[in-house]
Amino acid sequence: EPEVTQTPSHQVTQMGQEVILRCVPISNHLYFYWYRQILGQKVEFLVSFYNNEISEKSEIFDDQFSVERPDGSNFTLKIRSTKLEDSAMYFCASSDYDTQYFGPGTRLTVL
Amino acid sequence: DQQVKQNSPSLSVQEGRISILNCDYTNSMFDYFLWYKKYPAEGPTFLISISSIKDKNEDGRFTVFLNKSAKHLSLHIVPSQPGDSAVYFCAASAMDSSYKLIFGSGTRLLVRP
């Protein structure tokens, strides 16, 4: 069964450093998303991406964040200058219409 | 912003009995609702969904009921099995908002053998 994959599973970085989280969505899906879950909190929407552009972004998704689909398979989330409060699980999701399928997540730890 | 609420943080059920997980929402623009199951350190796994044009959707042991007038949905698991023990998230989306999902806070289900 097709699945969403994410790498790395765990990323540790120093505050102020740039990180890139990678996702391979399900191959025939057209809609791509990033969510995050801070420990003990809800899963929160960050950004949606369709037709090679951002379709919606949340207040969390400020100028430090960017997304890209550099080729036909990868979907990346870049955080330019990480802050302590960016520590969270980051989930990628994809859908062909209305049901989103999630990857296993990347645990980002900012020291 | 509590658009989707799961008021029960935990639920304990005997194996073989019914588990009922509840979810309330406030945004009348939501038109698609989903339930996800999640284990620690893993991503949410899609279980079942329902469109706002329906009031019930069934898939094996899982049934979701939607009461639009009450802005309430529930997930029934019958019969419950120990392997169902996990955190269950309710999520909602609206077609006019890129289908972004708004999640509830989750209910931890424990199915006792």
mmCIF file of all heavy atoms in Angstrom, chain A residues 2 9 17-19 21 25 27 30 37 42 55 57 59 64 70 75 82 86-87 89 92 95 106 110:
data_model
loop_
_atom_site.group_PDB
_atom_site.id
_atom_site.type_symbol
_atom_site.label_atom_id
_atom_site.label_comp_id
_atom_site.label_asym_id
_atom_site.label_seq_id
_atom_site.Cartn_x
_atom_site.Cartn_y
_atom_site.Cartn_z
ATOM 1 N N PRO A 2 0.582 2.216 -0.873
ATOM 2 C CA PRO A 2 1.408 3.439 -0.921
ATOM 3 C C PRO A 2 1.380 4.165 0.414
ATOM 4 O O PRO A 2 0.360 4.165 1.109
ATOM 5 C CB PRO A 2 0.721 4.284 -1.994
ATOM 6 C CG PRO A 2 -0.148 3.365 -2.751
ATOM 7 C CD PRO A 2 -0.521 2.261 -1.841
ATOM 8 N N SER A 9 14.093 10.855 10.597
ATOM 9 C CA SER A 9 13.103 10.584 11.634
ATOM 10 C C SER A 9 13.347 11.492 12.838
ATOM 11 O O SER A 9 12.397 11.847 13.551
ATOM 12 C CB SER A 9 13.143 9.122 12.055
ATOM 13 O OG SER A 9 14.440 8.781 12.486
ATOM 14 N N GLN A 17 20.234 27.710 13.405
ATOM 15 C CA GLN A 17 20.629 26.943 12.225
ATOM 16 C C GLN A 17 19.429 26.689 11.316
ATOM 17 O O GLN A 17 18.264 26.717 11.743
ATOM 18 C CB GLN A 17 21.241 25.603 12.637
ATOM 19 C CG GLN A 17 22.555 25.739 13.396
ATOM 20 C CD GLN A 17 23.637 26.349 12.546
ATOM 21 O OE1 GLN A 17 23.976 25.854 11.476
ATOM 22 N NE2 GLN A 17 24.198 27.468 13.007
ATOM 23 N N GLU A 18 19.737 26.405 10.053
ATOM 24 C CA GLU A 18 18.701 26.058 9.076
ATOM 25 C C GLU A 18 18.499 24.549 9.061
ATOM 26 O O GLU A 18 19.474 23.789 9.183
ATOM 27 C CB GLU A 18 19.144 26.528 7.688
ATOM 28 C CG GLU A 18 18.221 26.115 6.557
ATOM 29 C CD GLU A 18 18.762 26.532 5.202
ATOM 30 O OE1 GLU A 18 18.729 27.745 4.897
ATOM 31 O OE2 GLU A 18 19.213 25.645 4.440
ATOM 32 N N VAL A 19 17.242 24.132 8.928
ATOM 33 C CA VAL A 19 16.962 22.713 8.769
ATOM 34 C C VAL A 19 16.027 22.518 7.577
ATOM 35 O O VAL A 19 15.221 23.394 7.257
ATOM 36 C CB VAL A 19 16.314 22.076 10.019
ATOM 37 C CG1 VAL A 19 17.258 22.078 11.183
ATOM 38 C CG2 VAL A 19 15.017 22.758 10.377
ATOM 39 N N LEU A 21 13.392 19.574 6.246
ATOM 40 C CA LEU A 21 12.698 18.322 6.493
ATOM 41 C C LEU A 21 12.139 17.834 5.157
ATOM 42 O O LEU A 21 11.560 18.624 4.402
ATOM 43 C CB LEU A 21 11.562 18.529 7.508
ATOM 44 C CG LEU A 21 11.948 19.244 8.805
ATOM 45 C CD1 LEU A 21 10.745 19.303 9.745
ATOM 46 C CD2 LEU A 21 13.134 18.613 9.468
ATOM 47 N N PRO A 25 5.567 12.332 -0.813
ATOM 48 C CA PRO A 25 4.129 12.063 -0.759
ATOM 49 C C PRO A 25 3.762 10.829 -1.586
ATOM 50 O O PRO A 25 4.584 10.302 -2.338
ATOM 51 C CB PRO A 25 3.517 13.320 -1.384
ATOM 52 C CG PRO A 25 4.603 14.344 -1.392
ATOM 53 C CD PRO A 25 5.874 13.582 -1.510
ATOM 54 N N SER A 27 2.404 8.900 -4.642
ATOM 55 C CA SER A 27 2.804 9.354 -5.974
ATOM 56 C C SER A 27 1.708 10.016 -6.798
ATOM 57 O O SER A 27 1.982 10.935 -7.544
ATOM 58 C CB SER A 27 3.405 8.189 -6.763
ATOM 59 O OG SER A 27 2.440 7.179 -6.930
ATOM 60 N N LEU A 30 -2.053 15.112 -5.288
ATOM 61 C CA LEU A 30 -1.840 16.445 -5.835
ATOM 62 C C LEU A 30 -1.760 17.526 -4.756
ATOM 63 O O LEU A 30 -1.311 18.635 -5.028
ATOM 64 C CB LEU A 30 -2.983 16.806 -6.795
ATOM 65 C CG LEU A 30 -3.163 15.869 -7.989
ATOM 66 C CD1 LEU A 30 -4.396 16.292 -8.783
ATOM 67 C CD2 LEU A 30 -1.925 15.892 -8.878
ATOM 68 N N GLN A 37 3.219 19.083 15.693
ATOM 69 C CA GLN A 37 2.635 18.821 17.012
ATOM 70 C C GLN A 37 3.707 19.055 18.055
ATOM 71 O O GLN A 37 4.676 18.282 18.161
ATOM 72 C CB GLN A 37 2.090 17.393 17.116
ATOM 73 C CG GLN A 37 1.356 17.122 18.416
ATOM 74 C CD GLN A 37 0.811 15.713 18.508
ATOM 75 O OE1 GLN A 37 1.356 14.780 17.944
ATOM 76 N NE2 GLN A 37 -0.287 15.546 19.233
ATOM 77 N N LYS A 42 -2.070 20.014 20.436
ATOM 78 C CA LYS A 42 -2.785 19.500 19.272
ATOM 79 C C LYS A 42 -1.887 19.457 18.040
ATOM 80 O O LYS A 42 -0.877 20.174 17.951
ATOM 81 C CB LYS A 42 -3.959 20.424 18.939
ATOM 82 C CG LYS A 42 -5.106 20.400 19.897
ATOM 83 C CD LYS A 42 -6.248 21.253 19.349
ATOM 84 C CE LYS A 42 -7.427 21.292 20.262
ATOM 85 N NZ LYS A 42 -8.570 22.018 19.664
ATOM 86 N N SER A 55 -1.241 27.157 -1.179
ATOM 87 C CA SER A 55 -2.662 27.505 -1.279
ATOM 88 C C SER A 55 -3.179 28.129 0.004
ATOM 89 O O SER A 55 -4.107 28.928 -0.030
ATOM 90 C CB SER A 55 -3.499 26.288 -1.670
ATOM 91 O OG SER A 55 -3.157 25.154 -0.917
ATOM 92 N N LYS A 57 -1.665 29.144 4.298
ATOM 93 C CA LYS A 57 -0.688 28.980 5.364
ATOM 94 C C LYS A 57 -1.250 29.535 6.655
ATOM 95 O O LYS A 57 -2.095 30.431 6.645
ATOM 96 C CB LYS A 57 0.641 29.657 5.011
ATOM 97 C CG LYS A 57 0.540 31.137 4.728
ATOM 98 C CD LYS A 57 1.881 31.681 4.268
ATOM 99 C CE LYS A 57 1.773 33.178 3.970
ATOM 100 N NZ LYS A 57 3.065 33.746 3.511
ATOM 101 N N GLU A 59 -0.804 31.154 10.708
ATOM 102 C CA GLU A 59 -0.031 32.250 11.328
ATOM 103 C C GLU A 59 1.351 31.781 11.760
ATOM 104 O O GLU A 59 2.283 32.557 11.855
ATOM 105 C CB GLU A 59 -0.782 32.759 12.548
ATOM 106 C CG GLU A 59 -2.067 33.480 12.214
ATOM 107 C CD GLU A 59 -2.827 33.886 13.473
ATOM 108 O OE1 GLU A 59 -2.393 33.539 14.592
ATOM 109 O OE2 GLU A 59 -3.868 34.537 13.317
ATOM 110 N N GLN A 64 10.235 32.656 8.274
ATOM 111 C CA GLN A 64 11.308 31.703 8.545
ATOM 112 C C GLN A 64 11.049 30.342 7.890
ATOM 113 O O GLN A 64 11.949 29.522 7.791
ATOM 114 C CB GLN A 64 11.479 31.503 10.059
ATOM 115 C CG GLN A 64 11.957 32.743 10.792
ATOM 116 C CD GLN A 64 13.299 33.211 10.255
ATOM 117 O OE1 GLN A 64 14.227 32.449 10.085
ATOM 118 N NE2 GLN A 64 13.394 34.504 9.955
ATOM 119 N N PRO A 70 10.908 20.334 -5.169
ATOM 120 C CA PRO A 70 12.029 20.524 -6.087
ATOM 121 C C PRO A 70 12.018 19.600 -7.300
ATOM 122 O O PRO A 70 12.613 19.910 -8.324
ATOM 123 C CB PRO A 70 13.251 20.251 -5.209
ATOM 124 C CG PRO A 70 12.749 19.375 -4.121
ATOM 125 C CD PRO A 70 11.326 19.787 -3.883
ATOM 126 N N PHE A 75 8.893 16.745 -1.316
ATOM 127 C CA PHE A 75 8.222 17.947 -0.807
ATOM 128 C C PHE A 75 8.957 18.323 0.467
ATOM 129 O O PHE A 75 9.057 17.502 1.381
ATOM 130 C CB PHE A 75 6.747 17.627 -0.547
ATOM 131 C CG PHE A 75 5.925 18.778 -0.026
ATOM 132 C CD1 PHE A 75 5.928 20.009 -0.649
ATOM 133 C CD2 PHE A 75 5.111 18.606 1.088
ATOM 134 C CE1 PHE A 75 5.159 21.061 -0.178
ATOM 135 C CE2 PHE A 75 4.329 19.647 1.568
ATOM 136 C CZ PHE A 75 4.354 20.873 0.932
ATOM 137 N N THR A 82 16.284 28.356 13.095
ATOM 138 C CA THR A 82 15.432 27.678 14.070
ATOM 139 C C THR A 82 15.450 28.359 15.437
ATOM 140 O O THR A 82 16.469 28.929 15.865
ATOM 141 C CB THR A 82 15.865 26.219 14.223
ATOM 142 O OG1 THR A 82 17.287 26.178 14.449
ATOM 143 C CG2 THR A 82 15.512 25.412 12.997
ATOM 144 N N ASP A 86 10.529 25.947 17.982
ATOM 145 C CA ASP A 86 10.263 25.144 16.785
ATOM 146 C C ASP A 86 10.391 23.647 17.076
ATOM 147 O O ASP A 86 10.062 22.815 16.218
ATOM 148 C CB ASP A 86 11.231 25.509 15.649
ATOM 149 C CG ASP A 86 11.000 26.913 15.117
ATOM 150 O OD1 ASP A 86 9.832 27.384 15.138
ATOM 151 O OD2 ASP A 86 11.990 27.558 14.707
ATOM 152 N N SER A 87 10.859 23.302 18.260
ATOM 153 C CA SER A 87 10.968 21.889 18.630
ATOM 154 C C SER A 87 9.575 21.262 18.640
ATOM 155 O O SER A 87 8.673 21.741 19.355
ATOM 156 C CB SER A 87 11.607 21.747 20.017
ATOM 157 O OG SER A 87 12.941 22.189 20.009
ATOM 158 N N MET A 89 7.150 17.634 16.637
ATOM 159 C CA MET A 89 7.040 16.612 15.580
ATOM 160 C C MET A 89 6.448 17.314 14.368
ATOM 161 O O MET A 89 5.434 18.020 14.484
ATOM 162 C CB MET A 89 6.112 15.488 16.007
ATOM 163 C CG MET A 89 6.720 14.489 16.960
ATOM 164 S SD MET A 89 7.977 13.450 16.198
ATOM 165 C CE MET A 89 6.990 12.411 15.124
ATOM 166 N N CYS A 92 4.215 15.447 7.476
ATOM 167 C CA CYS A 92 3.843 15.717 6.105
ATOM 168 C C CYS A 92 2.598 14.896 5.792
ATOM 169 O O CYS A 92 2.428 13.787 6.322
ATOM 170 C CB CYS A 92 5.000 15.301 5.187
ATOM 171 S SG CYS A 92 4.668 15.377 3.437
ATOM 172 N N SER A 95 -2.826 14.211 -0.223
ATOM 173 C CA SER A 95 -4.158 13.725 -0.558
ATOM 174 C C SER A 95 -4.386 13.878 -2.054
ATOM 175 O O SER A 95 -3.754 14.715 -2.708
ATOM 176 C CB SER A 95 -5.233 14.489 0.220
ATOM 177 O OG SER A 95 -5.327 15.821 -0.245
ATOM 178 N N THR A 106 8.869 13.769 11.562
ATOM 179 C CA THR A 106 10.258 14.071 11.915
ATOM 180 C C THR A 106 10.243 14.790 13.254
ATOM 181 O O THR A 106 9.552 15.816 13.399
ATOM 182 C CB THR A 106 10.940 14.981 10.869
ATOM 183 O OG1 THR A 106 11.093 14.286 9.644
ATOM 184 C CG2 THR A 106 12.313 15.445 11.370
ATOM 185 N N VAL A 110 15.471 21.500 18.872
ATOM 186 C CA VAL A 110 16.328 22.684 18.748
ATOM 187 C C VAL A 110 16.952 22.970 20.110
ATOM 188 O O VAL A 110 16.237 23.144 21.097
ATOM 189 C CB VAL A 110 15.521 23.903 18.261
ATOM 190 C CG1 VAL A 110 16.446 25.105 18.087
ATOM 191 C CG2 VAL A 110 14.806 23.594 16.956
#
